[in-house]
Amino acid sequence: MFSHTAAKALRSTPSTLTKATRAMSTAANPHKPPLDLYGLPARYANATYIAASKSSSLPAVEAELLAIRATAASSSSFKSFLENPLISRDAKTKQIQEMLGDKFSPVTVNLMTTLAGNARLSAINPIVDDYVKLMKAKRGEVEATIISAEPLTKTQTEAVANAMKGQFPE
């Protein structure tokens, strides 16, 4: 009789022992990349985006990555350094830290040293491409290619811009 009464009392009163609240992380993650990209370069780009978002340095990291890509394109010795598999991972990591250390943000230095440690420095171009895609999506930019036999007039250009704005509301 007592056990029946005790069980009934426990069921009728809310208790932390009988009712557990499960917290789910269903709230929107403010640092989540705006696009779902896949592949090896996208993994690095997504991780860099999240780290830059948490440190509030998204545009700075984008500028730094674009500068690294431009340097690799213009300097054959830097491009050779990035692509040379004969240089050890430790040596590349050390050289990256010396080159970028105080001049670049910690997020960019971390990305580059991680790539050096994983022997993936040669993949910097697709990683930068994916990061730029994420940044364009965050800014709400959409790329469009218009092919025309003749150059567009100003009114035609405005009409296309208005049509694009209608397709992709801000």
Side-chain angles (χ1 to χ4, degrees):
M1 191 69 149
F2 176 73
S3 62
H4 176 67
T5 308
K8 187 176 179 182
L10 281 175
R11 275 187 247 126
S12 65
T13 59
S15 169
T16 57
L17 295 176
T18 58
K19 291 188 179 181
T21 305
R22 185 172 176 191
M24 300 293 285
S25 61
T26 56
N29 183 354
H31 304 295
K32 183 182 183 301
L35 289 177
D36 291 330
L37 300 176
Y38 301 98
L40 188 67
R43 286 183 185 181
Y44 287 104
N46 285 333
T48 303
Y49 181 91
I50 291 168
S53 177
K54 288 180 179 179
S55 67
S56 301
S57 60
L58 286 168
V61 170
E62 180 183 24
E64 291 167 354
L65 290 177
L66 289 172
I68 290 171
R69 181 169 65 181
T71 303
S74 64
S75 170
S76 60
S77 60
F78 185 62
K79 182 178 181 180
S80 173
F81 167 75
L82 294 176
E83 295 176 351
N84 189 348
L86 299 176
I87 301 172
S88 73
R89 295 175 183 198
D90 293 335
K92 281 188 177 185
T93 302
K94 184 178 177 186
Q95 288 182 342
I96 288 290
Q97 287 174 337
E98 289 173 3
M99 283 190 286
L100 306 180
D102 296 334
K103 300 171 190 147
F104 285 80
S105 68
V107 174
T108 304
V109 173
N110 186 30
L111 169 67
M112 295 301 289
T113 55
T114 301
L115 291 174
N118 293 340
R120 303 256 189 234
L121 280 173
S122 60
I124 190 66
N125 286 334
I127 293 169
V128 173
D129 291 341
D130 283 351
Y131 188 85
V132 168
K133 286 178 191 174
L134 294 173
M135 289 301 294
K136 284 183 178 182
K138 178 175 177 35
R139 290 189 293 261
E141 294 177 10
V142 177
E143 288 187 23
T145 304
I146 300 172
I147 300 173
S148 173
E150 297 179 12
L152 297 178
T153 65
K154 186 175 181 179
T155 56
Q156 290 172 329
T157 304
E158 290 173 359
V160 169
N162 289 335
M164 290 293 292
K165 286 180 185 175
Q167 291 292 320
F168 301 98
E170 292 179 27

